[in-house]
Each structure stands twice: as C-alpha cells, then as structure tokens.
Amino acid sequence: MAKFELKLPKMGESVAEATITSWLKEVGETIEADEAVLEIATDKVDSEVPSEVEGVLVEKLFDVDDVVQVGQTIAVIETEGGSSASASQPEPAKTEIVSEIPAVAEVEKTVVAAQETATSIVSSGDRFYSPLVKNIAKKEGITQSELDAMPGTGKDGRVTKNDILAYLGNRGQQTTVTSSAVDKSQSTQEPEKPKTAPVVASGDDEIIEMTRMGKLIAHHMVESVQTSAHVQSFIEADVTNIWNWRNKVKKEFAQREGENLTFTPIFMEAVARALRDYPMMNISVQGDTIIKKKHINLGMAAALPDGNLIVPVIKDADQLNLVGMTKKVNDLAGRARQNQLKPDDIQGGTYTVTNVGTFGSIMGTPIINQPQVGILALGAIRKVPAVVETPEGDFIGIRYRMFMSHSYDHRVVNGALGGQFVKAVKDYLEAWDPNREI
C-alpha cells in the first residue's frame, strides 16, 4: 500500500491561500480518480479539489474553516500497490543516524527550535500576520512576543515586510521584551477602533447572519473607499443605431453562432477600444508607484445564484472581435450563474464594467474594484424625445439613450483623463455603423 499526499493546487495568479468550506469525503471512504474530495473558497470563488489518484482517504490534515496555503498537504490517500517515498527511505536513514549521532543531535535541536519559532507565530484577534512576515520571523528567530510588540504601519496596524525588516535593523540596540512589556506596548501602539453604536433588535426582527461571501464583499467595498479617492463623471450616449442594428441581426446571429447577442459585448468592445486610446486608465497603484498594464483585461460584473455579484475577467479584450467577445461574455455570465467559475476566471482584471441598467437604474456611482483605478456603470437604455442635429436643421425625434457613470481614482486619474475616457466610449457607441456585418 502506498500513501499519496493531496496538496492544495495552484489556483491562478496572486491566489496564495484558500479556506476549506466542506469535506465531501470522510476518513475511510473510497475515492475515485478525479473525484472531488473537498470544497474550498478563495476571496470570491468556490471550487472543488479533486483527487489525482484512486484510493481510500486515511487522514484529513485540516478542518472546515481552516486556511490552507497553496502547496500544503491537506489530506492523505492510501492507494493500491507501489510504495511511498517515505517507505523506501528508512534503512539508509538508520545508517546515517548510527554513524553521526552527535551531528544529528545538534541538527535535531536546531530543527526543533525552528519549529517552535514557526508554530508559535500565530495570528490572533485583530493581529494578523501574513505568510511572508511569518517566514521572515521564522528565519530570523523572532518570537511571538517580539512580533506582537512590533508596531505595524499596515492596515489596522498590521506588521508589513518593511516593518519587520526595520525592526531587524535595530534589533541589536533593543533589549529583550518581557511579556508584561508586550501587553503595555500593545495597549499604547494599537489605535483604538472607532466605536459603532449598538443596533437594537426588537423581538419581531429577524437576525440574518451574513454569508462568507457577503462579508468578503463588504470588506472589499469598505477597503476600496478607504483606499481610493473616488470621483465620478457622467455622460449620456445616443445608442439608437446600436439598438436598431442589434434588432436587425440578433436572430441571424443566434442561428449562425448559437449565441444570444446582447448589448454587453458591444459595450465591452467600445470600452476596450477606449482603454487602448487612454492607456493611463489601464493602470494600478502600488504604494507610490504606478503599474501600467500591458494587457487590457476587462472585468464584467455578473450575478451569482445567491444574489451577490462577482467580477469574471475577459483577458485581452481588445484582441477579440464581436463574435469572440459575445462568446466570452455569455460563457462567463453563464458559469457565474451556475457557480462554476474557476479562481483564474476572476484574476488579472485591469478595468471593470458593471451594468446597473439591468435593474432599471439610469445611473450609479460604482465602487472601484481594487487595485484598479476605474469602473464604468452602464445605465438603462431609455426611449426618450431628444434634439437631433441634421444638415437641414435640428428637430425633435424619439431616440434610444443611456447614461454612463465613470468612477475613477483621483489619486492618479485627474478629471480631464477621466472625462476624456468616458467621452471616447460615448463616441465609439454613437459612431456605430448600422450596416456593420459580423
């Protein structure tokens, strides 16, 4: 019998950890190859972890709600035949131990000390330590008490990489920190959080616990407002040509491509073109530096089965024609509704579009999806009387019009750029060729 270690797989760029939401298999149960063993959740996507082998689950190394790092072993599966790597190594290991007992004893002491340091560094209460900070603390032999006493410059007083490196630079001049000193330093260094007024619920009120995703979305929204200086620009576009053109071609398009042609891919095409014209909208901010993105990856807000929103990403959107854009939009929206998006589907966005018009809203003030610097809200298309300019003069006509609301980060995007960008989107939409072929 051999034992196979099931590890948390890589789930896309920037995803370093996941939370176990449920175990689909219990110890002692048989597992088929490619059968799901457990369910996990990252910031927004729920996913399953399948087994690469056939066998019996003999050990679960984590419980529900535990946070696991990518590459960590989460379960052990016993397979038929073969021999595990650990089973083939004991004999040579014994020979080395007999011949080098003093050296091994010293190594064991060092390993034990390192393990004690690593396992003692834990996040507790409001004091959170990132894996990077924990690794540095482990390598440098920093104790839990030292780390707890360390002032942090990150969000909510968190210790950052620069904080711990600065501490190491001055460590030689510092005296040993006692546990009582730690308590005092924590009370003086951690800023007191603003108190919120208690909400009183009467006996007739229903108290509903927020879902895991609801909590994450709430956290991201508050963090974005605290991070970016939100400014909005609004503009109205005449989309009569688009409305009439779509009505003319949508039936033929569905028969030929097997896809419904909605307004969303048309708008996404215009946004991608405008981002190509104004690349400084396709950026992100990291500290005091600006990262200018090479690829135009459009985030598209889509509804989930539980009513929450998620933002899958259309990679290299400016390289797609309208047929390709339509297929991509429909695929991501469909998988979002069925809760089948993968972690990589929501990674790497450089700009986001949200369609508030789906719910009848004519405009909105959307919150930026960090670390991006802009988001465009598309309002409902309305049939309204409007002034139509012609060479023969102006007249009143019935037109299809919509508002677009552009939120952008005023730290790095000034009013001129924010206004010019959304004006470019308007111009692309109004210049739509009513005879365009697809």
Side-chain angles (χ1 to χ4, degrees):
M1 305 292 282
K3 291 185 177 180
F4 173 80
E5 294 183 346
L6 180 64
K7 300 180 183 294
L8 182 65
K10 182 175 174 60
M11 297 171 292
E13 59 179 272
S14 79
V15 179
E17 62 185 23
T19 302
I20 296 177
T21 55
S22 67
W23 283 94
L24 305 178
K25 293 290 183 178
E26 297 297 332
V27 172
E29 290 186 350
T30 301
I31 300 172
E32 301 292 333
D34 296 325
E35 185 178 8
V37 180
L38 69 158
E39 293 180 337
I40 59 172
T42 59
D43 277 1
K44 287 187 176 180
V45 173
D46 294 343
S47 183
E48 295 178 343
V49 178
S51 171
E52 300 175 32
V53 298
E54 179 182 342
V56 177
L57 181 63
V58 295
E59 187 177 5
K60 296 190 295 186
L61 302 180
F62 292 93
D63 297 322
V64 172
D65 293 331
D66 283 350
V67 177
V68 186
Q69 302 298 314
V70 169
Q72 273 191 294
T73 301
I74 48 182
V76 178
I77 300 172
E78 193 171 65
T79 61
E80 292 288 342
S83 58
S84 62
S86 58
S88 63
Q89 295 173 355
E91 284 304 319
K94 289 180 181 177
T95 304
E96 292 176 5
I97 291 174
V98 171
S99 60
E100 297 181 349
I101 290 178
V104 170
E106 288 300 318
V107 170
E108 286 179 345
K109 289 180 182 178
T110 304
V111 170
V112 169
Q115 288 177 338
E116 289 175 351
T117 300
T119 55
S120 63
I121 303 299
V122 295
S123 301
S124 58
D126 294 331
R127 194 72 168 177
F128 172 82
Y129 302 117
S130 68
L132 177 60
V133 168
K134 288 181 181 180
N135 287 335
I136 295 175
K138 173 183 174 181
K139 291 178 182 177
E140 300 296 336
I142 295 176
T143 63
Q144 178 81 49
S145 60
E146 287 179 280
L147 203 56
D148 288 343
M150 199 177 298
T153 60
K155 185 177 181 295
D156 295 331
R158 290 181 181 178
V159 175
T160 65
K161 174 186 174 182
N162 292 335
D163 294 333
I164 195 169
L165 292 178
Y167 173 83
L168 289 171
N170 300 325
R171 196 180 189 189
Q173 304 171 3
Q174 296 174 347
T175 57
T176 304
V177 181
T178 63
S179 58
S180 60
V182 171
D183 295 336
K184 291 180 181 178
S185 63
Q186 281 186 315
S187 63
T188 57
Q189 290 165 1
E190 293 185 2
E192 185 177 349
K193 292 187 175 181
K195 295 180 180 179
T196 57
V199 179
V200 179
S202 68
D204 297 331
D205 295 333
E206 180 183 4
I207 299 175
I208 302 174
E209 179 71 19
M210 290 179 67
T211 63
R212 180 192 62 83
M213 182 169 290
K215 294 176 184 178
L216 287 169
I217 292 174
H219 171 74
H220 288 320
M221 294 300 97
V222 172
E223 186 177 46
S224 180
V225 171
Q226 293 174 343
T227 299
S228 297
H230 282 64
V231 175
Q232 283 81 29
S233 292
F234 305 90
I235 200 165
E236 190 176 19
D238 188 321
V239 292
T240 305
N241 285 345
I242 293 175
W243 181 280
N244 294 333
W245 176 84
R246 175 180 171 272
N247 285 339
K248 182 176 66 175
V249 304
K250 63 181 181 181
K251 184 176 180 180
E252 178 189 348
F253 185 89
Q255 291 175 344
R256 191 186 75 190
E257 302 294 340
E259 300 278 352
N260 289 326
L261 177 61
T262 65
F263 289 104
T264 301
I266 298 173
F267 297 144
M268 295 300 244
E269 181 185 77
V271 172
R273 288 181 176 180
L275 285 172
R276 199 161 51 190
D277 295 340
Y278 294 94
M280 288 307 292
M281 282 302 312
N282 198 52
I283 65 173
S284 62
V285 181
Q286 186 174 46
D288 295 328
T289 61
I290 294 174
I291 301 174
K292 188 176 178 182
K293 301 293 186 177
K294 180 179 180 181
H295 299 275
I296 295 176
N297 299 333
L298 286 184
M300 176 190 72
L304 287 172
D306 60 1
N308 285 314
L309 291 177
I310 196 167
V311 185
V313 176
I314 302 172
K315 307 291 175 62
D316 293 315
D318 59 320
Q319 304 298 317
L320 298 173
N321 60 19
L322 191 57
V323 174
M325 185 76 79
T326 301
K327 291 179 180 293
K328 196 65 177 177
V329 166
N330 291 348
D331 171 59
L332 291 173
R335 287 195 286 124
R337 286 191 292 268
Q338 298 168 15
N339 205 22
Q340 293 180 349
L341 288 174
K342 299 177 182 178
D344 195 50
D345 290 328
I346 63 167
Q347 301 297 323
T350 60
Y351 188 88
T352 298
V353 178
T354 179
N355 189 356
V356 299
T358 302
F359 313 107
S361 298
I362 61 173
M363 63 177 65
T365 54
I367 297 175
I368 296 168
N369 187 17
Q370 297 295 327
Q372 300 166 22
V373 299
I375 180 171
L376 186 68
L378 306 173
I381 299 176
R382 301 159 298 124
K383 188 162 61 172
V384 297
V387 175
V388 180
E389 298 178 353
T390 69
E392 291 77 23
D394 299 343
F395 66 92
I396 300 295
I398 303 300
R399 309 294 291 178
Y400 290 91
R401 300 179 72 88
M402 64 178 289
F403 282 102
M404 293 182 288
S405 312
H406 184 211
S407 292
Y408 47 95
D409 189 345
H410 213 347
R411 295 178 302 165
V412 290
V413 179
N414 58 33
L417 175 58
Q420 288 170 345
F421 169 78
V422 73
K423 174 66 163 52
V425 178
K426 164 192 164 77
D427 290 342
Y428 278 121
L429 295 178
E430 292 188 343
W432 190 267
D433 182 3
N435 299 314
R436 178 173 175 175
E437 295 183 358
I438 54 174

